[in-house]
Structures are given as C-alpha cells and as structure tokens.
Amino acid sequence: MSAGLRDRPAHQADGGAPARRAVIRWAWRLFRREWRQQLLILSLITVAAAGTIFGGAVASNTPAPPNTATFGTANHLAVIPGTDPHLAADISAIRQRFGPADVIENQDLVTGSASQVQLRAQDPRGLYGQPTLALVSGHYPAGPDQVALTSQVATLYNLRAGGTWHQGGQDRRVTGIVENPSHLPDEFALVAAGQVSAPDQVTILFDASARAVAGYRFPAGATVEAPAPSSGGIGPAIIVLALAVLGLIFIGLVAVAGFTVLAQRRLRALGMLGSLGAADRHVRLVMTANGAIAGLTGALAGAAAGFAAWFAYRPYLETSAGHQIDPLHLPWWLIATGMVLAVVTAIAAASRPARAVARISPHAALAGRPEPPRAAHRSAVPGIVLLLIGPGLLILAGGWGHNSGTSTLETLGGLVATTCGGLLLAPFCITGLAALGRHAPVAVRLALRDLARYRARSAAALSAITFAVVIAMLICILATARYANVLDYTGPNLTASQLILYPPAAGGPGPAGAPGSANPRPLTHGQERTLVGRVTTALASRSVLTLYSAAQPGAHVAGYPGPVQATLNQAGTQTNNYSGPLYVATPALLRNFGIRPGQVTAGADVLTMRPGLAAEPRMQLVVPPSRFPGPGQARSQDPCPAGSCIASPQIETVTGLPSGTSAPNTVITLRAVRALGLHEVTSGWLIQAARPLTAGQISSARQLAAAAGAIIETKSGEVSLSEILNAATAVGLLIALGVLAMTVGLIRSETGSDLRTLAATGASGTTRRTITAVTAGGLGLLGAVIGTAIAYLAAIAWYRSSLATTVSHVPTVDLILVLAGLPLTASAGGWLFAGRQPAAMARQPLG
C-alpha cells in the first residue's frame, strides 16, 4: 500500500493546475472548519492591518498644513504694530508696491482665559486669507453691529447665533460660528473689515518675490515673514510603516507557533495525502494556502475595522490636532503596503511548518511522529551579529533629541536590528535553560525537556513574549529618563481640584508671563481681595494661598520679558535652564503644605520636591541683569557677579511641596531673596477646592477673572509618569501572558501521551501541575530577562552621552513586575489550570 511508503516522490507528475486547485479547495474547507483554532492568528493580523491603516491616517493628518494657518495662499506677510502713526498710509503704500493684499486687523481681548482671544476684522472673501477662515454655521458679519464668534469664545460667553455680545461698551449681534480651519485653537471674534478702530497689530498678506521684499523699506516696527521651508527627515507615514513592520514581526512569531501546531494536528491527514501520491509541493501548498487565506481574511477584516475606527476618530483628531481633516486624505500607498505585508507575513509564517511537514515521510506522518528539532546553534550567529549592528546604529543615531532624517532612519534600523537579534537567540536560550535543569526534579526536568523538544513553537512563542517585554520596557525606560530631567520638568500642571488665579500685572500664568492684556492695569489691594473672594466663592473653596515671586517691581531688562526676577540655571550651558515658576518660600506657603520650620536647613537657598535637582552640578541662582545688560551697560565678565548671582546655591529636597509643573514645586527661600536684593511680588493665588472642579465652576471663575483683566489656570491634559509606566507594563504583561497561555496549552496538548504515561505509572495531579507551571514559568522568565536586557541594551546605546540619566533612574516597580511578576503569574496560572486527569484514549482525526 502507498501508506507504507518511506518517502514521498518529490518530482513525480503532480496533476498540474487541477491538482493544485483541488488542494487549495481542500485547504479552504479545512480553514472554514478549523478557523476557531486560528482565531488568535486571525485576530492579530486583523489588529495589525487595522492599526496600520488607523495609525497611518492619524500620523499623516495630525501635522497641520504647513504655513496655511498664517499665510493662507500668500507667500509673504507683514505685521505692523497698531501704534504706527501712519498706519493707513503705510498699508496703502504696501498695496501700491506689491499689488492686491489682504488686511487683517487684530485687537487683543482679556477674557480670563490663559489662551489669547482677538477681535479680528477680516474680509471672508479676501484674495489670500480665505484658507484661514471658514463658516461653521450662520453667516459672516456684514455690518458694524454684527459679529461671528469661534466656538470657544461662544462657549466662554454662553452665546449662540442670534444672541448679543457685550464687549468694550458695544453690543453686537452674533450672526454665526466661524473657525480657522488650519488652526482650530485660534480663538477670535470676527467683525466686518474695517470695524476694529484701535487694532493692536495689522497683518498684511501679499504675494511678492524675495528680491522685491528685500528692496522695500517697511515701516518702523514692522516684521516681514515668508513661509517656512518644509522640514526634512522621514515622514510620519514611514515611521508608522516601520512600527507596523515591528508589529508584524511579533505577529509572525506567534503565527509560526500557531501554524506549527496546526500542522501537527493535521499531520496524519497530510500523511494520508502523501500516501495517495501527493508531491512535496502539494503538502506545502496545503499549509501555505491556509496561511494566505488566514492572512487575506485578517487583512480584509482589519481594513474594515481600520477605516471604521478612522472615520469615527477623525472628529476627535481634528480637535486635538487643531485643524480640519479631509477623511479621504490618507496614505494609500501605506495602506496597500500594510495589507500586502499582513498577507505575506501569514504566508511566511505558514511556510516554515509547511516545509517541515513536507519533509516527514508518509509513514511517520500517519504514525503522528513530529520531526526532530533542529540544533539551536544555527540561529545564534545571526542573532549575535544583529545584536552588534543594532546598538551600533543606535550609537550613530545621536541619541534623544536628534531629529534629522538620517538619525531617525538609524534609530528605527537600530531598534529593529537589536530586537530581531535578541529574538533570534530564543532557541539557544531555551536549550540553555533545558541544560540547566538536568539535575532538577523529574517534573521540572520533563517540562524543560519538552520546551527543547518542541522548540519550533516554544522558540517562536518566547520571541513573541520577548518582543512584548521589549516594547513595554523601552517605553518605561524612555519615559523614566524623560521625566527624570529635573530642569525640564514635565507632567500635570495642577491637580483637578486646584486653580491658580493670576492678576493682570503678572501678565499671565506664572512669573514669566503669558498672553494677556497688552497694557494690564494692576489691581488695588482691595480689588484683589474682592476678586479672590468672588472666585473662591464660585469654587466653593476656603483654601487660598498667595504666591509671591522674587523680583524687582517695575524693573525691566533688554532681552528679558517682564519684570526682573530670580532664575535658576546651570552655568556654562544655554539650554539647561530651570523650567517652571520659582516662587518664594513664605511662612504661609510652607505651612500650607505642612512643612515645619525645623524641616528646613537655615542656610538653604532653594527648596524643591524635584528628585535629583539638589545633585545637579554648576547650578546658579541669577538675577537677569548679570546676563542681560541694558542699553549702555557693559556685560559683566564675571559669570556669577556678587549681588546678582548665587553660585552653587544650597538646594534642599522637601517632599512636602506639590509636584505640579505650575504649582510651587520649587521655591526660593527668604534668605536668598534678601541676598539678591529682591522683594516679594504677588504673582497669583493658588486655590484648593475640596473636590475636583466642575466645568461650571471653571467657567464662572473665568468670567470673574475676565471682568477684572485677570487669568486663571486649571489642570491640563498632561499625563503623569506613573500613568505611562502602569499602562505600558500592563499591556506588555497582558500580551505576554496571552501568548504564554496559547503556547503552554499547545505544548501540553501535544504531550498528552506523556501525561497519560505518567498517570498510568501513578503520577499525581501535583506532578502534572508542576510540569505545566514550570513550562509557563520558564518561558515567562526567559522572555522577561531577554526582553529587559534587549531594552536596556538599546537604551544605553541610544543614551550613550547621558548614561547617568538612563541607568540611575530605573523604573524599579515595573522591573519587578516584569522580571518577577511575569514568571510567577505564568507559573501560578499553569498550576491552577492544569492537573486534570488526561483522557484514557485520544485519537487525531484524519481531516
């Protein structure tokens, strides 16, 4: 009988196209019958295709159209200050010199919001400015008593079309809602052209050659700009494609394990096909066609899901990106490439077990005997080579902060090479683990031996687990390094129950100032008390802390914005300057945060909650005149002149201070204020409510602040470091545990005969549970260790110039969760879900 053939003829007449069609139809029937066994592979391919489409759409449409929000269709703009005594004549002269031009008049308004709001006079049908203006509803204003508002301004004043806007002693009827489609955060009130009587500035859009502009003498105080050239480097779609390729590598690793098990389950059916005279190519075609069908099905399902997610998310992206988006403005080449790669990945993943099963003789296939595993050393050499190339490319990339196209390409290539190098070493690591368990108890030894015996799927699963850990740990390492920069401190500005009220004299949030009234009039002490009382009443709060800055009231220095204030920076650098407000550590501030006088050293100059700030070298506490001399003043040769600078100030870490970037997380002591000859100047009031502030309370506080010319600041959307770390670790662990569950179940199902033999010889349920627990825990431990090592290798190579930042700030909790939590959780899950008595008899279907 043909079933007894030892080998299958490899080059016999195969029946041509009819035979191939018959085999493909059989593969299709098998897929329809066994699609549930391939659900994980289908789901991953679907997610990859959907993620490529959705990610490419978001990445390509997030950047705003370059220069459109400012220049419209013009190639130059001139900004003339409203104080120009010959404003009308200068505008007329520019029109005569350069031809038709759009004139846009702007007047700053004080609304109580930290963002800038303008009263804007612009012709909606202007020659160049049309892309900067769009009508959402209603109609454009046409007369002197009409106005159209952006949605933000309409919400601020609780108005809609048909309402009356009271501003500057004039009532205007709201005719519609407008927006700047290329810059949706632009907040303004639009009036008809020529209806702004006292503009703060006038913008003129015109077309002209660079030579003509250079040869024209613009009015004093005017600035002329041309559109910025398009930035070089790699586009966002290329980066999305690179990330998609990384994701498909992960999916391919999981798919290899899945298709290997599928081939093992079909082994007897494939052996029967060979015994009937099928050639090797037919046996391979069964598995390859199955992979193609799975890949195509997943790609189509992913395309449907990706487009649905994109159309649903587009309105939210418009809000976050700040410009209108055409739903069909998509990187179609990226979408087509991603779908093709998804299908190719499935075919490639199925081809490996297809070749392996084609090499098995029909006799061995009918007997259900798997092919002996290959030696693990075959994948060690290319893995080591890639582990040398990958970090080398990351070193050449220049590290964090280099944004050139070359560095981006090197960074992506280095990450891919380093990750793939570690994944290729997976079989070698499994063999090493099995060797270490030679003298372990019988149950442990059997579990580790099975990992080595079924290395075709256990190695692929280990690579997938390692990949998930690499991504999670890279995010944790990079986020920790970013948040560890104590000078450029980042994170949430305030808590949800906090609000800072800034007086008009402060010019905006924080001592450094921000958009506000062009000529703020300071409030009297009585007016300040009244304003603070009304705002705290609106917020239902009784906790108010006055914030002071160390400054010289009324003093200004050329090149330095606002009043002269003390700053904290690092000597010898221009970029490592302290970011954030530097308030004064008044006794009231210390009491408010529960800091007793005995907790502060008498000689301290600066108190901070920022971990590591006290250890920063070459710090200086400086008053700007030492670095920014005024007209007629000679620049001091002393980098830290006495009386205006404290070299190496004593910085003391006080954990009781708040952590928000706008809150007083770092304060200057009264001793340092006196040493620099400064005074305490009121910068604002920190109001603490008993519970998170509601939208109504915030709106009431903004309106009260606007009436007095003041500004409020509330919690922004910045996420904290703990939120990033927790999310990355949780997702990485869930993916790793999911792959572990699939792999362990498959390996244990294929060792059913061994379990039956153990049960027949009297092995207890504890032994069976131990085998499964060690299988899961061994894979989890290897994946956690290898993944963490690869992530740190990549991070150290990338941060080569700042290893102290990378190595000294370790996400300890997340490392423990990965290195200990993953193997322990996997072992516990294997122990709990194993131990069931195996069936006395089991048969594999012929298919």
Side-chain angles (χ1 to χ4, degrees), residues 708-730:
I711 291 175
I712 67 168
E713 182 181 6
T714 56
K715 185 180 184 300
S716 66
E718 292 289 336
V719 295
S720 64
L721 175 61
S722 61
E723 292 173 332
I724 297 176
L725 298 183
N726 293 340
T729 304

Side-chain angles (χ1 to χ4, degrees), residues 197-246:
S197 57
D200 293 314
Q201 64 180 20
V202 176
T203 301
I204 305 174
L205 305 177
F206 60 94
D207 265 351
S209 64
R211 178 177 298 181
V213 171
Y216 182 77
R217 184 175 182 179
F218 288 87
T223 59
V224 182
E225 300 178 21
S230 59
S231 59
I234 297 178
I238 299 294
I239 298 177
V240 171
L241 180 60
L243 296 177
V245 170
L246 284 175

Side-chain angles (χ1 to χ4, degrees), residues 392-413:
L393 290 175
L394 291 174
I395 291 174
L396 294 176
W400 183 271
H402 287 246
N403 298 318
S404 66
T406 303
S407 66
T408 304
L409 184 61
E410 292 169 347
T411 299
L412 293 175

Side-chain angles (χ1 to χ4, degrees), residues 752-779:
S753 59
D754 296 339
L755 294 179
R756 286 190 294 273
T757 301
L758 288 174
T761 57
S764 64
T766 301
T767 301
R768 296 189 296 272
R769 291 180 185 273
T770 302
I771 292 175
T772 305
V774 172
T775 302
L779 284 176

Side-chain angles (χ1 to χ4, degrees), residues 682-696:
T682 302
S683 289
W685 298 270
L686 175 63
I687 303 175
Q688 176 71 55
R691 56 184 57 88
L693 302 175
T694 65

Side-chain angles (χ1 to χ4, degrees), residues 103-268:
V103 177
I104 305 173
E105 300 168 324
N106 295 291
Q107 179 183 343
D108 294 331
L109 302 177
V110 178
T111 63
S113 171
S115 57
Q116 189 176 30
V117 180
Q118 293 181 327
L119 180 65
R120 182 173 301 170
Q122 179 180 356
D123 183 4
R125 295 169 293 278
L127 180 61
Y128 302 111
Q130 291 187 32
T132 66
L133 201 59
L135 186 65
V136 178
S137 62
H139 61 85
Y140 289 113
D145 58 346
Q146 295 182 353
V147 66
L149 308 176
T150 60
S151 58
Q152 305 96 318
V153 178
T155 301
L156 176 63
Y157 290 96
N158 194 24
L159 292 172
R160 63 183 62 183
T164 302
W165 185 47
H166 307 281
Q167 189 275 331
Q170 184 176 356
D171 295 340
R172 292 185 175 93
R173 184 172 61 86
V174 180
T175 62
I177 303 297
V178 293
E179 66 184 10
N180 183 343
S182 299
H183 186 53
L184 296 179
D186 192 6
E187 301 182 21
F188 59 92
L190 180 69
V191 294
Q195 294 302 312
V196 175
S197 57
D200 293 314
Q201 64 180 20
V202 176
T203 301
I204 305 174
L205 305 177
F206 60 94
D207 265 351
S209 64
R211 178 177 298 181
V213 171
Y216 182 77
R217 184 175 182 179
F218 288 87
T223 59
V224 182
E225 300 178 21
S230 59
S231 59
I234 297 178
I238 299 294
I239 298 177
V240 171
L241 180 60
L243 296 177
V245 170
L246 284 175
L248 288 173
I249 291 174
F250 166 74
I251 293 170
L253 294 171
V254 178
V256 167
F259 284 124
T260 301
V261 173
L262 189 64
Q264 178 63 27
R265 286 176 175 172
R266 293 178 179 175
L267 191 58
R268 298 182 67 196

Side-chain angles (χ1 to χ4, degrees), residues 501 503-505 521-534 546 548 680-682 684-685 708:
L501 174 66
R521 290 184 299 174
L523 301 176
T524 64
H525 184 66
Q527 290 173 330
E528 288 181 349
R529 293 185 58 183
T530 301
L531 174 61
V532 173
R534 290 177 177 175
T546 303
Y548 295 96
E680 297 97 89
V681 178
T682 302
W685 298 270

